[in-house]
Amino acid sequence: MLFNHKVIINILGILLLLNAAFMLSCIPVTIIYNEGDMLPILAASATTFIVGGLMFFFTRNNTNKELKKRDGYVVVTLGWLTMSFFGTLPYLFSGAIPNLTDAFFETLSGFSTTGATILTDIEGVHKGILLWRSLTQWIGGMG
């Protein structure tokens, strides 16, 4: 076997569950400012949680938990792409960034901590979405 698929999928599921939890941490800000971005953030978090939960659930009983060097490379690469793809959901669902390419760029620039943005009027974006944007940069800095 070239890769340990079940371990890779299990780790990606855990990453998505963490991503969903970070999205949920934006909810108090949406409640305080009452700008109407609570449902999109909840929907994005729920979608991410369901996909991550299913990935984790169906691979939890794997007997071979060995992670080789090449598996690690795949986890890092797919982890960035998966986290970035699901990280676009709050932007897309809220309409803050309606274009998938732009939303993916915004999320990937956050997770890579480059700070590049496509937003021209950052102050005009709802506070919950701005917190999500900041969290992607914080998560990227931790990584």
Side-chain angles (χ1 to χ4, degrees), residues 22-44:
F22 279 114
M23 286 179 196
L24 276 181
S25 71
C26 298
I27 295 300
V29 172
T30 65
I31 292 170
I32 291 169
Y33 287 96
N34 195 25
E35 292 180 318
D37 53 348
M38 185 166 68
L39 287 178
I41 291 173
L42 281 173

Side-chain angles (χ1 to χ4, degrees), residues 76-134:
V76 170
T77 303
L78 291 180
W80 270 57
L81 292 173
T82 305
M83 292 271 292
S84 295
F85 176 76
F86 281 91
T88 64
L89 296 180
Y91 298 123
L92 295 173
F93 289 174
S94 69
I97 304 174
N99 183 333
L100 176 63
T101 306
D102 290 342
F104 187 77
F105 175 83
E106 191 71 34
T107 307
L108 193 58
S109 74
F111 285 137
S112 67
T113 65
T114 61
T117 185
I118 56 95
L119 297 172
T120 55
D121 182 25
I122 292 180
E123 291 83 15
V125 178
H126 292 168
K127 304 292 189 281
I129 299 298
L130 283 180
L131 179 59
W132 172 243
R133 182 178 178 273
S134 298

